[in-house]
Amino acid sequence: MTDLAAPLSTFMANAVGPGDLSGLTRLSGGANMESWAFDWADGAYVLRRAPSADYMAGRPYGHADEAALVIAAHGAGVKAPEVVGVLTDSDGMGTGYVMRRVMAEVNPAKILADPPPSLLSDLGRELARIHAIPAATIPAAIPLMDSAAALAELKARFLDYGGDRPVIALAIKWCEEHLPPPAEPVLVHGDYRMGNIMVDADRLAVVLDWELAHRGDAHEDLAFGCMTVWRFGRIDHPAFGVGSLDDYFAAYEAAGGAKVDRERFHFWLVYRTLWWALGCLQMGQAWRSGADSTVERVVVGRRTAEQELDLLLLLEAEASAEERDRALPSSSPPAPAPAGEPTNREMVQAVRDWLADAIKPDAEGHAKFQVAVAMNALGIVMRDLDAGVRAEDRALTDALLSGATTLAQPGLIAKLRRAVLDKCAVDSPKYAALARARETWGGQE
């Protein structure tokens, strides 16, 4: 933090004018980039940055183009942040830009506990505004998404990551068979969901995190925020955890958005759930490579099970009613209780308890967040040691990818249901869709 204060002060003096830096604090969260809140003179600001070039590897455009896009969105009337300056190499802080800070709530749990009455309409309106941003104002570096090529790239990544998760293979094959024709391209935010918006007492205040923006199908944006994972437990409210799809689509269309195609929407709901499943697996690869050695990376890597559960719920209608009604096979029996020396599980529990009792109470800010993530990681290990559940099945995966095996195979849907229930119970036992799936599938333990 001390290393950042001096160059940031110099940058702000040049970008905004004289002042003093105070309150510099790293904000929690952010899967890839760092965000730092601070005060300068009489204003509040946020620095969004990547501390090194490694963080930007493989991205189609850098922070200068991202900042230019945010400026264009703000100029088009979208509730985007106000950018006040863009970092250069000479600033010595990596790559990034500084925005005026919006003082509003970003925590999805707090927002969804008491959302403003207008929130769903606000979400539809802002997305329609994003999709209406004039093409001439969009930086040339913002890429056009070729859906078929993007799907092929997802498949290639899956194979690179082992190619051995049957539900992911099922989703890839389904997407290949249901790929819609190209749509008239618009600017797609790419990450439009709870967690990337801020809300005040009355309305949606700002749309954040534009790093995944591209030109493509509007339905991709419409679907992404409706994924189960981004409803943050409110799974009975399919639009952002706030309301109904009918009301969301009506708000989008009333604000100038094109008429929503339900089948195209469903495709993108499956596609983006698949995309995030592979994104979770990619987190593990980032940790193994050393590109990001934080505990958060490995924990997010184990959230793949959530998306496999959701994918199966989205795709199981492809199976016959007879197969959907088939009883689930039994889970593996629990391991016997220990009697001798401490087991691996008990040693992990001892470390977890120590973190909870001795470290977490005194931690603050981002450090407290990291301790909580570390405790979550150890909880996953403890449950994994108890259950001994594996998600990999290369032979079945290959058969699903090739089309040699489909959900018409007797007993397959029941087998997949049992597998995703048991894996999700290890990796994400509090995931809201897990309890619903157990109830629906008769998989209560």
Side-chain angles (χ1 to χ4, degrees):
M1 190 179 300
T2 302
D3 293 341
L4 190 59
L8 183 57
S9 296
T10 301
F11 175 86
M12 290 301 293
N14 293 330
V16 177
D20 293 313
L21 182 73
S22 63
L24 180 62
T25 306
R26 183 171 176 184
L27 301 175
S28 297
N32 297 298
M33 298 297 125
E34 292 182 4
S35 292
W36 295 83
F38 64 95
D39 295 326
W40 179 264
D42 295 327
Y45 299 88
V46 171
L47 165 65
R48 174 177 170 79
R49 73 157 190 161
S52 72
D54 289 344
Y55 282 75
M56 302 302 290
R59 295 175 180 270
Y61 53 90
H63 277 133
D65 289 309
E66 182 182 324
L69 177 62
V70 175
I71 292 169
H74 189 271
V78 176
K79 290 186 179 295
E82 180 184 352
V83 176
V84 300
V86 181
L87 302 183
T88 64
D89 291 343
S90 63
D91 294 313
M93 293 184 286
T95 70
Y97 53 94
V98 173
M99 308 165 280
R100 292 194 184 276
R101 187 177 186 186
V102 176
M103 307 307 290
E105 183 58 64
V106 70
N107 185 321
K110 293 182 179 180
I111 294 171
L112 292 174
D114 186 22
S118 69
L119 183 54
L120 194 59
S121 294
D122 293 346
L123 287 162
R125 182 198 65 238
E126 289 306 306
L127 193 57
R129 287 178 177 175
I130 291 170
H131 294 167
I133 293 174
T137 68
I138 300 172
I142 305 302
L144 173 65
M145 179 179 179
D146 180 318
S147 300
L151 178 58
E153 193 270 338
L154 287 184
K155 184 176 182 178
R157 282 171 53 196
F158 174 58
L159 296 175
D160 285 343
Y161 300 160
D164 53 11
R165 308 281 287 242
V167 175
I168 294 179
L170 179 71
I172 290 172
K173 186 64 175 178
W174 184 91
C175 286
E176 289 175 339
E177 294 176 346
H178 293 83
L179 187 70
E184 184 67 27
V186 299
L187 178 69
V188 174
H189 178 277
D191 207 2
Y192 192 74
R193 61 175 177 86
M194 300 302 297
N196 286 336
I197 64 165
M198 299 185 76
V199 173
D200 60 25
D202 301 315
R203 62 193 182 281
L204 188 154
V206 68
V207 179
L208 305 171
D209 287 0
W210 294 74
E211 67 188 82
L212 299 180
H214 54 277
R215 292 176 296 132
D217 190 336
H219 290 77
E220 182 184 2
D221 262 349
L222 283 161
F224 190 57
C226 299
M227 287 168 51
T228 304
V229 67
W230 305 135
R231 298 180 218 163
F232 294 91
R234 290 171 56 92
I235 58 176
D236 290 328
H237 298 77
F240 294 82
V242 179
S244 71
L245 292 179
D246 287 342
D247 289 344
Y248 175 44
F249 295 162
Y252 174 78
E253 293 170 2
K259 185 172 178 57
V260 178
D261 180 327
R262 298 284 183 134
E263 289 188 8
R264 190 177 283 266
F265 172 85
H266 180 72
F267 170 83
W268 284 108
L269 194 60
V270 174
Y271 177 93
R272 286 308 298 262
T273 304
L274 167 64
W275 174 88
W276 183 228
L278 290 169
C280 293
L281 288 179
Q282 186 176 17
M283 298 291 181
Q285 302 299 316
W287 184 86
R288 288 190 184 104
S289 70
D292 187 342
S293 58
T294 62
V295 178
E296 187 179 4
R297 283 313 120 239
V298 289
V299 171
V300 176
R302 292 294 286 263
R303 294 187 65 181
T304 307
E306 298 175 359
Q307 306 319 302
E308 290 176 321
L309 179 73
D310 293 340
L311 284 169
L312 198 55
L313 287 165
L314 287 168
L315 297 175
E316 64 179 2
E318 302 290 315
S320 67
E322 179 183 3
E323 286 303 311
R324 295 197 304 272
D325 291 341
R326 188 184 292 269
L328 271 64
S330 299
S331 298
S332 299
E341 68 178 15
T343 63
N344 289 341
R345 183 201 187 280
E346 289 172 321
M347 294 178 69
V348 171
Q349 181 173 354
V351 175
R352 189 178 188 276
D353 291 345
W354 171 74
L355 285 172
D357 297 339
I359 305 300
K360 188 177 181 181
D362 295 327
E364 296 181 356
H366 190 67
K368 190 166 190 173
F369 169 76
Q370 289 178 309
V371 173
V373 172
M375 291 173 58
N376 188 16
L378 294 176
I380 293 171
V381 174
M382 289 163 58
R383 292 186 296 271
D384 203 353
L385 289 169
D386 284 343
V389 172
R390 301 305 308 170
E392 297 82 8
D393 187 333
R394 184 58 185 266
L396 178 56
T397 297
D398 289 344
L400 287 166
L401 281 177
S402 69
T405 296
T406 71
L407 290 183
Q409 177 177 314
L412 178 58
I413 189 70
K415 175 182 177 179
L416 293 176
R417 284 172 170 177
R418 170 51 64 197
V420 297
L421 286 174
D422 289 351
K423 189 68 166 67
C424 196
V426 167
D427 295 347
S428 301
K430 295 182 180 180
Y431 190 51
L434 175 59
R436 177 62 56 83
R438 281 175 171 160
E439 179 183 345
T440 302
W441 295 341
Q444 293 280 5
E445 302 300 327

